[in-house]
Amino acid sequence: MTEEAEEGADLSPTSGYEQQAPHFLQDVIFHGKFKLLKALTPEESTHCQHGLYFEDGQRRVDYVLTYPLKKQAGGRSCRQSTHLLTENAFARSLRRGPHHISEHLRHYTVKRAKDSLSPPSSPRADTELGCPGETFGGHEDHKTFRREEFEGKLREMGLELEKDEDARIQGVGFVKIHAPWNVLCREAELMKLKMPTKKVYEVKQSSGVVEKISSLVSKVLEPLHPHVEERQPKNIKRLSHTFSREKQHLFDLSDKDYFFDSKTRSSIVYEILKRTKCKAKYSMGITSLLGSGVYTAAYPLHDGDINEESAEPNDRKLLYEEWANYSVFYKYQPIGLVRKYFGEKIGLYFAWLGLYTQMLIPASLVGVIVFLYGCATVDDNIPSMEICHPRNNITMCPLCDRVCSYWKLSTACGTARASHLFDNPATVFFSIFMALWAAMFMEHWKRRQMRLNYEWDLTGFEDEEEALKDHPRAEYEFQVMQKSLSKDRKSQHKIEKLSCRDRLPAYMTNIVMMLLMIGVTFAIVFGVILYRISTKAALHMSSNPITRNHVQLTVKTTAAIINLVVILILDEVYGAVARWLTVLEVPKTDKSFEERLIFKTFILKFVNAFSPIIYIAFFRGRLVGRPGNYLYVFESYRMEECAHGGCLMELCIQLSITMLGKQLIQNNLFEIGIPKLKKLIRYIQSKQGAFQEEERQKKLRRYETDHFLEPFAGLTPEYMEMIIQFGFVTLFVASFPLAPLFALLNNIIEIRLDAKKFVTELRRPVAARAKDIGIWYNILRGVAKVAVIINAFVISFTSDFIPRMVYQYMYSPDGSMHGFVNHTLSYFNVSHFQEGKETQEPLQLGYPIEICRYKDYREPPWSTNPYEISKEFWAVLAVRLAFVIVFQNVVMLMSDIVDWLIPDIPKDISLQIHKEKILLVDLFMKEEQGKVQILESRLSTGGKENCSRSNNNNSSSMVAHPRSGLHTNSIKSL
C-alpha cells in the first residue's frame, strides 16, 4: 500500500497539533499519577487490576506492545521520570488556569516536533525534562526514537495508548492500545467487515423424511454436544451486511461496547499496526519494528483466567472446560465458540480436524475387519501351510556371503504367517475402499466448509477481501526501497516491484538447496541400508544361537528406529531451511509467503518421511541379482533381499514404527513440552533481577501473564503433521490396514492437546478471516490421487497377490494354490558360487548341499539357458502392469462418480443464501422508501410554511399599501 493510500485511509481531518494536544490531556487525566475526574468503582478497579482495561477502568486493552526497558540506578527508568515531570508541570498549569494549560500544551507540542526533527545521532541531552543521561547517540536511543515516532503515528491514526513501565516483569515495558468507537467504525468500513443488522429471520426446517431422521439423530447425539450457551436459537439468524458508517441505523448498536467483539477489535488494531509507517529509515510497520528489536512482542490479550474458581465467566474459561479438557474427549467441538474467540482461520482448522477424525471411524472399523480376516484365515492359507509343514525339506541359499550358511525354508514359518495378516485378498478390497473414503472425505469437507461459510457470514468474502489481502509485506517494501536507493538519484522513475532478475539468485539458491536437502535424505536412507547389511553379517557371526535366530527381527526393528530418529531430527532442520529459503525469495504478500513456505516444507518433510518406506516397498529385493552373480555396493556390501514372505512385512514394521513414533514423540510430546519449557525459561529469566520478595508474590496482570506465554507461530505445523498422517493412512494402507485405527486414537488426543495448547500455552493469536483451508486442500487432493497409484503398485509388486493369482489360473494343475511356493523358487548349483563368496560352514545342516533354492523366476542350471529369466517372470510382470492400469482407472472413475453425486453446496444452504439476498434487497428498499417519505414530508411541510408566509406578507402589504391591491389581484389571477 502506498503512502498516499495510507494517508487517505486516515479519515480524520485534524492536524498533528490538534491530535497531540487532546491525547496528551487524556494521557495525564486518565492514566497519569493524578486521578482528576473521578474515583474508580470497585468493578472498574477489578478490571484495571486484572490488566484488561486502562487505568481508568473503562477503556478496553485491545492490543499490547512490549519493549526492552533500561532501569537506572535509582530503580526508576529515565523515560518514566520524564513522564512524571511532564505530569507535574501540567498539574501546575491546571492550578494556574486555562491560559496556562493552552500555553503548556503548545510548548509540549512544539518541543515534541523539535525532538522528532532532530537528527538521531545528536548527542544533546534532554536536560529540560530532567533526564540528563538520555541521549540519541546509542543504538538503544535510536530504538527509543523510532518507538516514540511510531507511537505518535498511532495516535494520529486515532488509537489511544497507555504506557506501563512499573510492571512486575523486570526490564520490560508495556504499551497498551485501545481503539475508540470512531476508529473501529472507520476500519471496519475499510476492511469490509460483515456485521449483524437489526433484521432477524427464522430459518425454516423442511419437513421431509430425511430431515425428520436427522432431527431424531440429533436428539440421540445431544449428550455428545458441549454445554455452550448460545445467544439465540439455532433456527433464528441475524442478517449481516458489510459495515458502513452512513448506514449505522441498520445495525444493532444497542450495546456499542460489545458490537465489535474482542477478536474483531484486536484484528482492527493489528491492521493499523501493520500499515502504519514512520519517517525513520526502514520503518515499515510493526513487523519490521519487531524484527529490528524496537519492540519485543505484540499480541492481543486473553479475556480472563481459567484456573481460578473466583474468575469471572469468560470465553477462555468456557473453552478450557468444554473443549481443552481430556474428560470431554468424546464430545463434539464447540466450533462456533472457537471461531468467536480465535477467528475463522483457526476455527476452520479445528473443524477440518474434527471431520477428518470422524471420517476415520468407519475406516478404522473396516481396517480392523480386514486384519481380523487375516487372523482368521492364516491357518487356511495354503502357501503358509506349505512353508510351515514339518515335511518341508527345501534348502535355501545363504542370505549373505561367507558368514551365512544354508537354511531351511520351514524356519520362515513365523514370518510367512505374519505376512498373511496384511497380505491377503481382503487387502485389495480395503485399498479400493480407502480410495473412495478419501474422495468422500474431500467432498464432505467441501460441504462442511460451505455450511460454515454461511453460518459465519463469509459468503462473498473472497470477492470483497482479495484486494485487501494483497498489500505488500514489510520485507518486500524494504527490498524495493533498497533497489530504489541503489538507482541513479537523478532518475525520476519509481520502482514499484521486484523483477525476476532481482529474484534470480534467490530462485537458484532455492533450487540448489532443495535438491541438496533431498540428496541428504537419500544419502541417509542409503546409510541405513549399509547399516542393515553390515549388522546382519555381524549378527550371523555371533556365537549366541538366540542372536543368530533373531537376526532378521533385530535388524528390521533397529533400522526402523534409526530411521525414525533421523526423520524427527531432519523435520526440524527442513522446517528451518524452508523458512530461510522462503524469506530469501522475498514474496510480495503474506498469502504468497505462506503458500511458498507450505509448498517447500511439504516437499522436504514428505520426502523425509516416506523415502525409507518407498525404498522398502519398491526397490528392496529387486536390485539384488542372483546367487553367483549378486549386486555389490563398494565391491563389498551385497545388496539386501526380502524375506521369503516378501517385503510387505518389513514395510509394515517400518510404517508402523515411523507413524506411531512421529505421533507420540513429535506430535504430542514436542507440541506440549517445548512451549512449557520455553515458558519456564522466560519466567526464570524474568526472576533473575533484584526483585523484592513481596513484589514476587504480587498477582501479575493479564498483559504480564500473557507475556510469559509462547508466541503463536501459525497453523503450518498443525496442518503439516495431519497431512503427513493422511499420507500414512492412504498411501500405503494396503500394507498396514491398522493405520486408520492408530490415526483415530492419535487424533482424539491431538484435538484436546491442540486445544489445551491454544487456550493455555500460547498467546492469543490475531483473528484472521478465511473462507477455506487454502493450499492445504490442493495438497490433500494430490495425496489422495497419488495414494491410488501407490496402492496399485504395492498390491502388484510388493505383495504376492498377483503371483498367487497367476499361478492359480495359469499354472496350477487343479486350480488350487498347492505347489505355489515351489513354483516361485528357482534352483542354483552351489558349485557356481564366485570364488571367495561361498559359505564358510557348508555342513551346518549336517549334510553336504549341492542344490539350493532362491526366490525368483529363472531357468534351472541344467537348462540350455541357465539362470536366465523365465517366461513365468514375463507373464507375472504383464499381469502386474495390467492390474496397475485397471486398478488406477477404475478407482479414479469411482472417485469421480462420488465427486459428481455429492453436491459441493448443501441444498438448504443454497436456499438460505438466496433468501438472505432477497431479505437484504427488501431491507434496503424499505430504507429508501423511508428516506423518500421523510423527504416528501419535509418538502410538504416546507411548502405549507412558505404558502402561509406568503399569505401573511400579502395581507400585510395590502394593509400598508391599499392602492396596490389591484395590482396584487392581477398578479394572482395571472
PDB file of all heavy atoms in Angstrom, residues 142-163:
ATOM      1  N   HIS A 142      18.374   5.093  19.556  1.00  0.00           N
ATOM      2  CA  HIS A 142      17.761   5.129  18.224  1.00  0.00           C
ATOM      3  C   HIS A 142      16.472   4.316  18.213  1.00  0.00           C
ATOM      4  O   HIS A 142      15.472   4.714  17.604  1.00  0.00           O
ATOM      5  CB  HIS A 142      18.742   4.578  17.196  1.00  0.00           C
ATOM      6  CG  HIS A 142      18.188   4.532  15.804  1.00  0.00           C
ATOM      7  ND1 HIS A 142      17.792   5.671  15.118  1.00  0.00           N
ATOM      8  CD2 HIS A 142      17.931   3.482  14.977  1.00  0.00           C
ATOM      9  CE1 HIS A 142      17.334   5.321  13.931  1.00  0.00           C
ATOM     10  NE2 HIS A 142      17.410   4.002  13.823  1.00  0.00           N
ATOM     11  N   LYS A 143      16.458   3.175  18.918  1.00  0.00           N
ATOM     12  CA  LYS A 143      15.228   2.397  19.031  1.00  0.00           C
ATOM     13  C   LYS A 143      14.155   3.188  19.765  1.00  0.00           C
ATOM     14  O   LYS A 143      12.977   3.142  19.399  1.00  0.00           O
ATOM     15  CB  LYS A 143      15.506   1.081  19.767  1.00  0.00           C
ATOM     16  CG  LYS A 143      16.336   0.079  18.974  1.00  0.00           C
ATOM     17  CD  LYS A 143      16.502  -1.206  19.771  1.00  0.00           C
ATOM     18  CE  LYS A 143      17.304  -2.233  18.995  1.00  0.00           C
ATOM     19  NZ  LYS A 143      17.496  -3.485  19.763  1.00  0.00           N
ATOM     20  N   THR A 144      14.556   3.899  20.807  1.00  0.00           N
ATOM     21  CA  THR A 144      13.594   4.716  21.546  1.00  0.00           C
ATOM     22  C   THR A 144      12.999   5.795  20.657  1.00  0.00           C
ATOM     23  O   THR A 144      11.782   6.058  20.696  1.00  0.00           O
ATOM     24  CB  THR A 144      14.282   5.353  22.755  1.00  0.00           C
ATOM     25  OG1 THR A 144      14.846   4.329  23.576  1.00  0.00           O
ATOM     26  CG2 THR A 144      13.294   6.164  23.581  1.00  0.00           C
ATOM     27  N   PHE A 145      13.844   6.424  19.844  1.00  0.00           N
ATOM     28  CA  PHE A 145      13.353   7.445  18.920  1.00  0.00           C
ATOM     29  C   PHE A 145      12.357   6.862  17.928  1.00  0.00           C
ATOM     30  O   PHE A 145      11.289   7.450  17.683  1.00  0.00           O
ATOM     31  CB  PHE A 145      14.551   8.057  18.179  1.00  0.00           C
ATOM     32  CG  PHE A 145      14.149   9.014  17.091  1.00  0.00           C
ATOM     33  CD1 PHE A 145      13.729  10.302  17.386  1.00  0.00           C
ATOM     34  CD2 PHE A 145      14.196   8.623  15.761  1.00  0.00           C
ATOM     35  CE1 PHE A 145      13.358  11.182  16.384  1.00  0.00           C
ATOM     36  CE2 PHE A 145      13.830   9.494  14.750  1.00  0.00           C
ATOM     37  CZ  PHE A 145      13.407  10.778  15.061  1.00  0.00           C
ATOM     38  N   ARG A 146      12.671   5.718  17.373  1.00  0.00           N
ATOM     39  CA  ARG A 146      11.754   5.080  16.418  1.00  0.00           C
ATOM     40  C   ARG A 146      10.458   4.659  17.102  1.00  0.00           C
ATOM     41  O   ARG A 146       9.377   4.744  16.523  1.00  0.00           O
ATOM     42  CB  ARG A 146      12.431   3.867  15.773  1.00  0.00           C
ATOM     43  CG  ARG A 146      13.599   4.200  14.873  1.00  0.00           C
ATOM     44  CD  ARG A 146      14.269   2.964  14.326  1.00  0.00           C
ATOM     45  NE  ARG A 146      13.352   2.187  13.500  1.00  0.00           N
ATOM     46  CZ  ARG A 146      13.651   0.999  12.980  1.00  0.00           C
ATOM     47  NH1 ARG A 146      14.827   0.450  13.213  1.00  0.00           N
ATOM     48  NH2 ARG A 146      12.770   0.358  12.229  1.00  0.00           N
ATOM     49  N   ARG A 147      10.575   4.203  18.353  1.00  0.00           N
ATOM     50  CA  ARG A 147       9.385   3.788  19.084  1.00  0.00           C
ATOM     51  C   ARG A 147       8.469   4.978  19.348  1.00  0.00           C
ATOM     52  O   ARG A 147       7.244   4.896  19.170  1.00  0.00           O
ATOM     53  CB  ARG A 147       9.806   3.117  20.386  1.00  0.00           C
ATOM     54  CG  ARG A 147       8.673   2.481  21.154  1.00  0.00           C
ATOM     55  CD  ARG A 147       9.172   1.451  22.143  1.00  0.00           C
ATOM     56  NE  ARG A 147      10.159   2.010  23.058  1.00  0.00           N
ATOM     57  CZ  ARG A 147      11.415   1.603  23.143  1.00  0.00           C
ATOM     58  NH1 ARG A 147      11.858   0.658  22.339  1.00  0.00           N
ATOM     59  NH2 ARG A 147      12.256   2.143  24.025  1.00  0.00           N
ATOM     60  N   GLU A 148       9.046   6.099  19.768  1.00  0.00           N
ATOM     61  CA  GLU A 148       8.230   7.278  20.020  1.00  0.00           C
ATOM     62  C   GLU A 148       7.594   7.802  18.739  1.00  0.00           C
ATOM     63  O   GLU A 148       6.448   8.259  18.742  1.00  0.00           O
ATOM     64  CB  GLU A 148       9.091   8.355  20.665  1.00  0.00           C
ATOM     65  CG  GLU A 148       9.522   8.025  22.084  1.00  0.00           C
ATOM     66  CD  GLU A 148      10.379   9.118  22.680  1.00  0.00           C
ATOM     67  OE1 GLU A 148      10.773  10.028  21.916  1.00  0.00           O
ATOM     68  OE2 GLU A 148      10.649   9.068  23.894  1.00  0.00           O
ATOM     69  N   GLU A 149       8.345   7.746  17.651  1.00  0.00           N
ATOM     70  CA  GLU A 149       7.785   8.202  16.377  1.00  0.00           C
ATOM     71  C   GLU A 149       6.633   7.315  15.943  1.00  0.00           C
ATOM     72  O   GLU A 149       5.587   7.794  15.497  1.00  0.00           O
ATOM     73  CB  GLU A 149       8.882   8.199  15.306  1.00  0.00           C
ATOM     74  CG  GLU A 149       8.428   8.775  13.973  1.00  0.00           C
ATOM     75  CD  GLU A 149       9.533   8.690  12.933  1.00  0.00           C
ATOM     76  OE1 GLU A 149      10.527   8.012  13.188  1.00  0.00           O
ATOM     77  OE2 GLU A 149       9.365   9.301  11.872  1.00  0.00           O
ATOM     78  N   PHE A 150       6.803   5.999  16.104  1.00  0.00           N
ATOM     79  CA  PHE A 150       5.745   5.062  15.728  1.00  0.00           C
ATOM     80  C   PHE A 150       4.500   5.264  16.590  1.00  0.00           C
ATOM     81  O   PHE A 150       3.371   5.266  16.091  1.00  0.00           O
ATOM     82  CB  PHE A 150       6.268   3.633  15.861  1.00  0.00           C
ATOM     83  CG  PHE A 150       5.277   2.572  15.475  1.00  0.00           C
ATOM     84  CD1 PHE A 150       4.927   2.365  14.151  1.00  0.00           C
ATOM     85  CD2 PHE A 150       4.688   1.766  16.441  1.00  0.00           C
ATOM     86  CE1 PHE A 150       4.023   1.396  13.800  1.00  0.00           C
ATOM     87  CE2 PHE A 150       3.779   0.794  16.107  1.00  0.00           C
ATOM     88  CZ  PHE A 150       3.448   0.606  14.769  1.00  0.00           C
ATOM     89  N   GLU A 151       4.685   5.447  17.875  1.00  0.00           N
ATOM     90  CA  GLU A 151       3.538   5.658  18.760  1.00  0.00           C
ATOM     91  C   GLU A 151       2.846   6.979  18.466  1.00  0.00           C
ATOM     92  O   GLU A 151       1.621   7.089  18.607  1.00  0.00           O
ATOM     93  CB  GLU A 151       4.007   5.592  20.212  1.00  0.00           C
ATOM     94  CG  GLU A 151       4.446   4.199  20.636  1.00  0.00           C
ATOM     95  CD  GLU A 151       5.167   4.188  21.964  1.00  0.00           C
ATOM     96  OE1 GLU A 151       5.214   5.269  22.601  1.00  0.00           O
ATOM     97  OE2 GLU A 151       5.695   3.131  22.362  1.00  0.00           O
ATOM     98  N   GLY A 152       3.620   7.983  18.074  1.00  0.00           N
ATOM     99  CA  GLY A 152       2.992   9.233  17.659  1.00  0.00           C
ATOM    100  C   GLY A 152       2.125   9.044  16.418  1.00  0.00           C
ATOM    101  O   GLY A 152       1.029   9.617  16.323  1.00  0.00           O
ATOM    102  N   LYS A 153       2.603   8.215  15.467  1.00  0.00           N
ATOM    103  CA  LYS A 153       1.788   7.925  14.285  1.00  0.00           C
ATOM    104  C   LYS A 153       0.517   7.169  14.649  1.00  0.00           C
ATOM    105  O   LYS A 153      -0.544   7.390  14.065  1.00  0.00           O
ATOM    106  CB  LYS A 153       2.612   7.109  13.284  1.00  0.00           C
ATOM    107  CG  LYS A 153       3.747   7.872  12.610  1.00  0.00           C
ATOM    108  CD  LYS A 153       3.207   8.872  11.623  1.00  0.00           C
ATOM    109  CE  LYS A 153       4.325   9.560  10.876  1.00  0.00           C
ATOM    110  NZ  LYS A 153       3.809  10.533   9.882  1.00  0.00           N
ATOM    111  N   LEU A 154       0.619   6.277  15.622  1.00  0.00           N
ATOM    112  CA  LEU A 154      -0.570   5.548  16.063  1.00  0.00           C
ATOM    113  C   LEU A 154      -1.597   6.492  16.669  1.00  0.00           C
ATOM    114  O   LEU A 154      -2.809   6.342  16.445  1.00  0.00           O
ATOM    115  CB  LEU A 154      -0.182   4.464  17.068  1.00  0.00           C
ATOM    116  CG  LEU A 154       0.685   3.310  16.551  1.00  0.00           C
ATOM    117  CD1 LEU A 154       0.967   2.315  17.673  1.00  0.00           C
ATOM    118  CD2 LEU A 154       0.017   2.592  15.391  1.00  0.00           C
ATOM    119  N   ARG A 155      -1.134   7.472  17.426  1.00  0.00           N
ATOM    120  CA  ARG A 155      -2.064   8.445  17.991  1.00  0.00           C
ATOM    121  C   ARG A 155      -2.708   9.272  16.886  1.00  0.00           C
ATOM    122  O   ARG A 155      -3.885   9.624  16.969  1.00  0.00           O
ATOM    123  CB  ARG A 155      -1.326   9.347  18.983  1.00  0.00           C
ATOM    124  CG  ARG A 155      -0.925   8.648  20.278  1.00  0.00           C
ATOM    125  CD  ARG A 155      -0.383   9.643  21.285  1.00  0.00           C
ATOM    126  NE  ARG A 155      -0.086   8.998  22.556  1.00  0.00           N
ATOM    127  CZ  ARG A 155       1.113   8.564  22.917  1.00  0.00           C
ATOM    128  NH1 ARG A 155       2.127   8.719  22.077  1.00  0.00           N
ATOM    129  NH2 ARG A 155       1.295   7.995  24.088  1.00  0.00           N
ATOM    130  N   GLU A 156      -1.932   9.591  15.859  1.00  0.00           N
ATOM    131  CA  GLU A 156      -2.518  10.323  14.739  1.00  0.00           C
ATOM    132  C   GLU A 156      -3.573   9.494  14.018  1.00  0.00           C
ATOM    133  O   GLU A 156      -4.530  10.055  13.473  1.00  0.00           O
ATOM    134  CB  GLU A 156      -1.419  10.738  13.756  1.00  0.00           C
ATOM    135  CG  GLU A 156      -0.463  11.792  14.299  1.00  0.00           C
ATOM    136  CD  GLU A 156       0.616  12.140  13.297  1.00  0.00           C
ATOM    137  OE1 GLU A 156       0.549  11.618  12.155  1.00  0.00           O
ATOM    138  OE2 GLU A 156       1.522  12.911  13.643  1.00  0.00           O
ATOM    139  N   MET A 157      -3.417   8.180  14.019  1.00  0.00           N
ATOM    140  CA  MET A 157      -4.415   7.310  13.417  1.00  0.00           C
ATOM    141  C   MET A 157      -5.655   7.160  14.284  1.00  0.00           C
ATOM    142  O   MET A 157      -6.623   6.535  13.873  1.00  0.00           O
ATOM    143  CB  MET A 157      -3.806   5.923  13.154  1.00  0.00           C
ATOM    144  CG  MET A 157      -2.712   5.904  12.108  1.00  0.00           C
ATOM    145  SD  MET A 157      -3.327   6.251  10.459  1.00  0.00           S
ATOM    146  CE  MET A 157      -4.303   4.795  10.149  1.00  0.00           C
ATOM    147  N   GLY A 158      -5.641   7.732  15.490  1.00  0.00           N
ATOM    148  CA  GLY A 158      -6.815   7.709  16.354  1.00  0.00           C
ATOM    149  C   GLY A 158      -6.746   6.727  17.489  1.00  0.00           C
ATOM    150  O   GLY A 158      -7.682   6.670  18.306  1.00  0.00           O
ATOM    151  N   LEU A 159      -5.686   5.917  17.579  1.00  0.00           N
ATOM    152  CA  LEU A 159      -5.575   4.953  18.665  1.00  0.00           C
ATOM    153  C   LEU A 159      -5.186   5.664  19.955  1.00  0.00           C
ATOM    154  O   LEU A 159      -4.525   6.709  19.940  1.00  0.00           O
ATOM    155  CB  LEU A 159      -4.539   3.887  18.319  1.00  0.00           C
ATOM    156  CG  LEU A 159      -4.846   3.006  17.107  1.00  0.00           C
ATOM    157  CD1 LEU A 159      -3.711   2.019  16.862  1.00  0.00           C
ATOM    158  CD2 LEU A 159      -6.161   2.255  17.287  1.00  0.00           C
ATOM    159  N   GLU A 160      -5.586   5.077  21.068  1.00  0.00           N
ATOM    160  CA  GLU A 160      -5.255   5.611  22.378  1.00  0.00           C
ATOM    161  C   GLU A 160      -4.265   4.670  23.050  1.00  0.00           C
ATOM    162  O   GLU A 160      -4.478   3.461  23.091  1.00  0.00           O
ATOM    163  CB  GLU A 160      -6.521   5.770  23.217  1.00  0.00           C
ATOM    164  CG  GLU A 160      -7.520   6.742  22.615  1.00  0.00           C
ATOM    165  CD  GLU A 160      -8.806   6.830  23.413  1.00  0.00           C
ATOM    166  OE1 GLU A 160      -8.881   6.153  24.462  1.00  0.00           O
ATOM    167  OE2 GLU A 160      -9.725   7.561  22.989  1.00  0.00           O
ATOM    168  N   LEU A 161      -3.184   5.248  23.571  1.00  0.00           N
ATOM    169  CA  LEU A 161      -2.078   4.485  24.125  1.00  0.00           C
ATOM    170  C   LEU A 161      -1.882   4.806  25.604  1.00  0.00           C
ATOM    171  O   LEU A 161      -2.129   5.929  26.043  1.00  0.00           O
ATOM    172  CB  LEU A 161      -0.773   4.783  23.374  1.00  0.00           C
ATOM    173  CG  LEU A 161      -0.503   4.032  22.066  1.00  0.00           C
ATOM    174  CD1 LEU A 161      -1.572   4.307  21.021  1.00  0.00           C
ATOM    175  CD2 LEU A 161       0.872   4.388  21.518  1.00  0.00           C
ATOM    176  N   GLU A 162      -1.442   3.795  26.326  1.00  0.00           N
ATOM    177  CA  GLU A 162      -1.106   3.961  27.738  1.00  0.00           C
ATOM    178  C   GLU A 162       0.100   3.096  28.048  1.00  0.00           C
ATOM    179  O   GLU A 162       0.110   1.901  27.728  1.00  0.00           O
ATOM    180  CB  GLU A 162      -2.276   3.551  28.623  1.00  0.00           C
ATOM    181  CG  GLU A 162      -1.987   3.724  30.107  1.00  0.00           C
ATOM    182  CD  GLU A 162      -3.162   3.288  30.959  1.00  0.00           C
ATOM    183  OE1 GLU A 162      -3.327   2.066  31.150  1.00  0.00           O
ATOM    184  OE2 GLU A 162      -3.917   4.157  31.409  1.00  0.00           O
ATOM    185  N   LYS A 163       1.122   3.718  28.636  1.00  0.00           N
ATOM    186  CA  LYS A 163       2.355   3.007  28.935  1.00  0.00           C
ATOM    187  C   LYS A 163       2.375   2.541  30.386  1.00  0.00           C
ATOM    188  O   LYS A 163       1.812   3.178  31.266  1.00  0.00           O
ATOM    189  CB  LYS A 163       3.571   3.898  28.663  1.00  0.00           C
ATOM    190  CG  LYS A 163       3.917   4.040  27.198  1.00  0.00           C
ATOM    191  CD  LYS A 163       5.296   4.648  27.023  1.00  0.00           C
ATOM    192  CE  LYS A 163       5.688   4.625  25.553  1.00  0.00           C
ATOM    193  NZ  LYS A 163       7.063   5.134  25.352  1.00  0.00           N
TER     194      LYS A 163
END
